[in-house]
Amino acid sequence: MPDAKPEDSHIKARAAELLAQMTVEEKAGQLTQYFAFPGADEQLAGVEAELRAGRAGSLLFVSEAAEIDRLQRIAVEETRLGIPLLFGYDVIHGFKTVMPVPLAMAASWDPEMAETAQAIAAKEARAIGLHWAFAPMVDICRDPRWGRMIEGAGEDPYLGSAMAAAQVRGFQGHYIGAPDRLIAGPKHFAGYGASLGGRDYDEADLSETELWNVHLPPFKAAIEAGAGNIMSAYMGLNGVPASGNRWLLTDILRDAWGFDGFVVTDAGAAADLETHHFAANKEDAAIRALEAGVDMEMAPPREGGSAFRTLPEALKAGRISEARLDEAVLRVLEAKLRMGLFEQPYVDAERAQRVLNAPEHREVARVAAERSVVLLKNAGDLLPLSRDVGSIAVLGPFADAARDMAGPWIFRQDDSETVTVLSGIRAAVGNDTRVDHSIGVSVPKRMHPSIFENPFSPPLPEITVDDDVEIERAVALATEANVAVLVLGEAQIMIGEHASRSTLNLPGRQQELLDRVLETGTPTVLLIMTGRPMDLKGAEPDAQMMIWYPGTSGGEAVANLLFGDAVPGGKMPYNWPRNIGQIPLPYAHLRSFKPEEEHMRYWNERNEPLYPFGFGLSYARFSYANLRLSSDRMAVGETLNVSVDVTNVSEIAADEVVQLYIHQRFGTSARPVRELKGFERVQIGAGQTRTVAFTLTPDQLRYWSAVVRDWVQDATEIDVFVGGSSDADLTARFKVTA
Ligand code: GLC
């Protein structure tokens, strides 16, 4: 691996030399990525034949060092030009050490922590021979019916951009090819999070205003952080499939943003241009994907082979230019050269084992989980609990669910390494405290099987009980205990890809379990394990935490938070609706008409979030004062400094996420009532005051306006709001002069 960033000119020269030796078949091969599922021997035989014929440039889903090494040796030693393969994989939130899901990391509002976590993921994945992560997923989502919200950073482009850039830095380091790092592949370009009805794979219909101001910024931030790859999305966007959309893949990505990496389609999305009834057939699909700006086809096994396999024919027929084909091949070759694959294509399995088992990785996972949990309720300061609380009933289908703790997109975790909530609590309590457990109700089944219930994924744990009997047992334990800790939510296959949902209810008979436990009158802590804002139907646990899917060390982290060794500091990365009927319910909405009746938009209930974007409690309390602006006016193009004093008025040190929002009072377009434009997570000692400062730059005040169909910064008046949530009311106003 290069120990310093290789010179671009050197890279480009070597790529050009290689290109000059390649046949058209080999060129199309470099642009083809095949699935190599472990155990799919017949399919793998086909892939190996393509590989030996020089018609494969990359593989995905191989995740064992020995197998990667074996396949790489075929590419390097048994093909005409010996061009090494690029190995890609879904390293979304950890490889062997499972980190909290990305939405949880976003809820920490701690980009540095997200960067550290993804750097660990990269180190583990690179050690076994992977080169490229299909991550970070940076799709903005305002519809919790969409399962893939779990992979992103929530509803806001500013938080989403910070998390996107941080994860790219974590995966790649300071340059592509840095030791122990991966190529980052932000996805899914673009607008996938706005799929109709939250239904995964359905089309998105977005105005340019929404695209430019909400859905595109995190991709731009990821590219500015140096991302070497972009993955184009499956779905239709405004009638043009994202993977055949030249406006997205060339006009924006290349011409407007200067992206110089390579573009891969999502699985099958090139050939699927025919499925959309956009392309006439597979050959047409390949041509239109390449011409739109796709460089590499991610090709699942398909009758008659991949779409890009038809490119040599298309070239001969003059339907694509060799220049365009060469441009795509050079991008892929340059990525391989930058990653040092020609110098060091093989895997050091011995070193890999050491890296995968480094204990400090699990420490990072624990801290990441601690910083991601959001404390939503704490009536009567029930939390933190005493270790000598005497007796605790730990209940619910996810209290001891190792597989679910990992969340979606994890296929190889070692359940025996995962610390569940139950085992974390057991390890944390004093010797005299009794801990009882019941799952209370079985984990319900999905109506339609998950795509991850397949021969290539580890089988799901089968835990079924007689719910009628087990609920009574759980209720009896809760009745006897001094405290009940309920862990409810969704199984890891009920969220993520191909896991959209039409309600936000607790699946199965979990609501019944919750209601019955609350009826016992025992003080109850509800820990919610999912990414979605569950609708608890008015149930009122004394304390409530969103623990997301907290990963390998999640149980330890949750126990530390429950007993006060760690203090919750996470904040919601989305507005939590009272009722799914309110969706979409973005906090950054317009005033529109009769804003004073915003809470009355429905006659049958109050229209406001249950918990607003940016909300999260602590065991400490903070007060805000002295909001100061460096001036009460600034000219367009200038910057303004904002600062505020935050006091921790409690007796314990704790973190607060200080947030800055703006509202523009008039201009070319009407702008949202609140928009996040700054945040900082700070630790403040007991009784201490800390001044937190922000800078407002023209970039943060500029927006894309449908009036001029371009970016504008208005001469206007702007209200600033600062606090620990998007409903902060400490405010000041400044003018922006022309
Ligand atoms: C999946 C997902 C994409 C993933 C790819 C490879 O269908 O849409 O996010 O990276 O295929 O697994």
Side-chain angles (χ1 to χ4, degrees):
M1 268 178 273
D3 50 11
K5 183 176 181 207
E7 276 311 308
D8 256 15
S9 53
H10 172 68
I11 293 284
K12 289 188 180 298
R14 283 188 64 190
E17 267 167 47
L18 262 174
L19 183 80
Q21 303 166 48
M22 294 171 75
T23 66
V24 177
E25 287 270 339
E26 288 165 335
K27 289 179 182 178
Q30 282 303 307
L31 306 184
T32 305
Q33 176 185 56
Y34 285 114
F35 278 77
F37 284 116
D41 299 342
E42 195 186 315
Q43 185 247 335
L44 191 56
V47 168
E48 283 188 28
E50 289 294 281
L51 173 55
R52 284 191 169 85
R55 289 196 296 260
S58 173
L59 298 179
L60 77 147
F61 259 96
V62 200
S63 61
E64 297 294 337
E67 180 64 354
I68 288 178
D69 202 58
R70 182 184 73 82
L71 291 161
Q72 189 68 295
R73 288 181 190 279
I74 295 173
V76 173
E77 297 163 19
E78 300 181 35
T79 64
R80 192 175 74 86
L81 293 173
I83 299 173
L85 288 163
L86 204 56
F87 284 90
Y89 194 66
D90 289 287
V91 186
I92 312 293
H93 53 106
F95 179 68
K96 180 159 191 300
T97 307
V98 180
M99 302 294 169
V101 287
L103 189 60
M105 289 202 264
S108 74
W109 292 56
D110 183 354
E112 216 175 295
M113 184 279 292
E115 179 177 341
T116 305
Q118 296 300 28
I120 299 276
K123 188 169 183 179
E124 292 186 354
R126 190 69 191 279
I128 66 114
L130 292 169
H131 308 122
W132 167 23
F134 307 131
M137 189 277 220
V138 302
D139 302 312
I140 294 294
C141 172
R142 295 165 163 191
D143 187 336
R145 293 172 291 186
W146 191 54
R148 304 201 74 168
M149 66 177 301
I150 195 74
E151 300 170 46
E155 73 170 79
D156 181 77
Y158 190 87
L159 179 62
S161 298
M163 287 296 161
Q167 294 183 76
V168 168
R169 290 192 299 269
F171 282 122
Q172 291 188 171
H174 299 296
Y175 61 90
I176 290 176
D180 290 336
R181 305 283 184 156
L182 301 172
I183 295 172
K187 66 187 184 184
H188 307 76
F189 198 59
Y192 186 18
S195 298
L196 219 53
R199 292 182 296 273
D200 202 10
Y201 308 143
D202 268 8
E203 75 273 24
D205 209 64
L206 286 166
S207 67
E208 279 200 73
T209 305
E210 274 286 281
L211 275 163
W212 285 114
N213 293 319
V214 176
H215 294 272
L216 292 173
F219 285 97
K220 187 166 187 278
I223 287 166
E224 285 169 354
N229 164 257
I230 288 284
M231 180 186 291
S232 63
Y234 282 133
M235 84 301 150
L237 175 65
N238 301 338
V240 183
S243 293
N245 192 315
R246 186 175 174 82
W247 177 70
L248 279 182
L249 302 177
T250 297
D251 299 355
I252 295 178
L253 215 43
R254 306 288 179 185
D255 301 347
W257 292 350
F259 174 61
D260 62 0
F262 68 101
V263 172
V264 69
T265 66
D266 201 339
D272 275 331
L273 294 181
E274 178 187 10
T275 310
H276 282 261
H277 285 183
F278 172 76
N281 50 45
K282 187 165 66 175
E283 294 69 16
D284 184 41
I287 291 162
R288 296 177 74 181
L290 186 77
E291 290 307 317
V294 167
D295 299 309
M296 182 186 281
E297 173 191 19
M298 181 186 284
R302 181 182 289 272
E303 198 50 43
S306 74
F308 273 24
R309 206 162 168 226
T310 66
L311 288 177
E313 281 311 304
L315 183 68
K316 282 189 194 104
R319 293 196 61 197
I320 57 167
S321 70
E322 183 130 35
R324 172 62 193 119
L325 189 67
D326 289 353
E327 179 185 58
V329 176
L330 285 172
R331 287 170 178 157
V332 172
L333 293 176
E334 285 163 16
K336 295 183 175 184
L337 286 160
R338 286 202 173 89
M339 289 300 284
L341 303 194
F342 290 82
E343 288 71 34
Q344 194 162 1
Y346 302 134
V347 187
D348 174 349
E350 216 292 290
R351 176 176 180 277
Q353 276 318 310
R354 284 200 311 276
V355 171
L356 292 185
N357 297 313
E360 63 271 21
H361 295 180
R362 273 169 279 296
E363 270 307 289
V364 170
R366 175 181 60 78
V367 173
E370 283 171 2
R371 296 175 75 81
S372 304
V373 168
V374 181
L375 177 61
L376 297 165
K377 247 187 99 180
N378 192 16
D381 288 347
L382 171 64
L383 295 176
L385 301 173
S386 154
R387 291 175 188 290
D388 304 316
V389 68
S391 57
I392 304 180
V394 183
L395 311 168
F398 302 110
D400 198 29
R403 178 73 186 273
D404 296 301
M405 290 286 281
W409 282 108
I410 295 292
F411 307 103
R412 43 169 296 137
Q413 100 256 19
D414 176 349
D415 284 349
S416 66
E417 274 191 355
T418 301
V419 181
T420 65
V421 171
L422 175 64
S423 42
I425 290 174
R426 282 211 160 110
V429 294
N431 298 333
D432 311 340
T433 293
R434 177 192 164 93
V435 176
D436 291 302
H437 167 60
S438 157
I439 74 168
V441 290
S442 316
V443 176
K445 294 263 176 290
R446 290 179 36 138
M447 175 186 280
H448 312 300
S450 157
I451 53 173
F452 300 117
E453 291 175 276
N454 62 44
F456 314 117
S457 296
L460 292 177
E462 280 292 330
I463 307 174
T464 49
V465 290
D466 175 334
D467 289 358
D468 293 325
V469 170
E470 197 61 28
I471 284 185
E472 297 314 321
R473 198 168 89 76
V475 168
L477 290 175
T479 306
E480 294 308 309
N482 294 337
V483 171
V485 174
L486 259 176
V487 190
L488 305 176
E490 295 178 301
Q492 48 97 242
I493 59 162
M494 294 177 176
I495 196 162
E497 183 177 0
H498 194 260
S500 292
R501 195 164 168 231
S502 63
T503 73
L504 294 175
N505 306 340
L506 287 167
R509 295 176 61 177
Q510 296 184 83
Q511 184 73 45
E512 184 184 341
L513 176 64
L514 173 58
D515 294 338
R516 289 287 309 278
V517 167
L518 292 179
E519 277 163 22
T520 66
T522 299
T524 299
V525 182
L526 172 62
L527 304 178
I528 304 178
M529 186 185 291
T530 178
R532 293 191 169 101
M534 289 284 102
D535 179 351
L536 302 180
K537 306 294 180 199
E540 292 279 356
D542 302 275
Q544 191 177 314
M545 283 182 171
M546 174 59 107
I547 65 169
W548 314 103
Y549 297 96
T552 298
S553 307
E556 214 180 322
V558 168
N560 284 344
L561 291 163
L562 288 175
F563 296 106
D565 289 337
V567 181
K571 300 283 186 178
M572 284 313 295
Y574 56 72
N575 252 358
W576 186 304
R578 290 173 180 283
N579 176 328
I580 192 169
Q582 297 173 275
I583 298 299
L585 184 71
Y587 84 91
H589 61 85
L590 303 184
R591 283 169 62 86
S592 186
F593 178 61
K594 289 199 174 181
E596 70 283 1
E597 293 189 2
E598 180 187 324
H599 64 287
M600 296 161 60
R601 294 294 197 236
Y602 302 112
W603 65 261
N604 61 322
E605 70 174 29
R606 287 184 65 81
N607 173 55
E608 57 207 2
L610 190 58
Y611 305 109
F613 175 80
F615 172 84
L617 299 175
S618 168
Y619 296 151
R621 282 175 181 68
F622 299 96
S623 69
Y624 285 75
N626 300 330
L627 174 57
R628 298 182 295 281
L629 307 181
S630 53
S631 166
D632 63 358
R633 67 191 56 242
M634 65 189 264
V636 166
E638 289 181 344
T639 63
L640 185 91
N641 296 320
V642 181
S643 64
V644 68
D645 293 342
V646 189
T647 303
N648 175 347
V649 296
S650 68
E651 292 78 46
I652 53 165
D655 283 9
E656 168 69 327
V657 179
V658 183
Q659 302 156 49
L660 168 74
Y661 296 86
I662 66 167
H663 169 57
Q664 177 169 299
R665 299 182 62 80
F666 56 85
T668 310
S669 291
R671 301 298 297 140
V673 291
R674 299 269 168 117
E675 278 183 279
L676 179 70
K677 292 296 180 185
F679 65 88
E680 186 179 350
R681 179 165 177 155
V682 292
Q683 184 176 61
I684 305 178
Q688 302 296 305
T689 295
R690 183 154 168 183
T691 299
V692 178
F694 299 98
T695 302
L696 277 174
T697 64
D699 253 359
Q700 288 160 283
L701 303 182
R702 240 194 300 277
Y703 64 92
W704 193 91
S705 166
V707 173
V708 294
R709 297 195 69 254
D710 201 351
W711 293 88
V712 297
Q713 183 190 355
D714 291 313
T716 179
E717 287 184 20
I718 290 181
D719 289 331
V720 168
F721 302 87
V722 178
S725 172
S726 58
D727 59 2
D729 49 20
L730 183 59
T731 186
R733 183 172 298 171
F734 66 91
K735 284 185 188 327
V736 182
T737 56

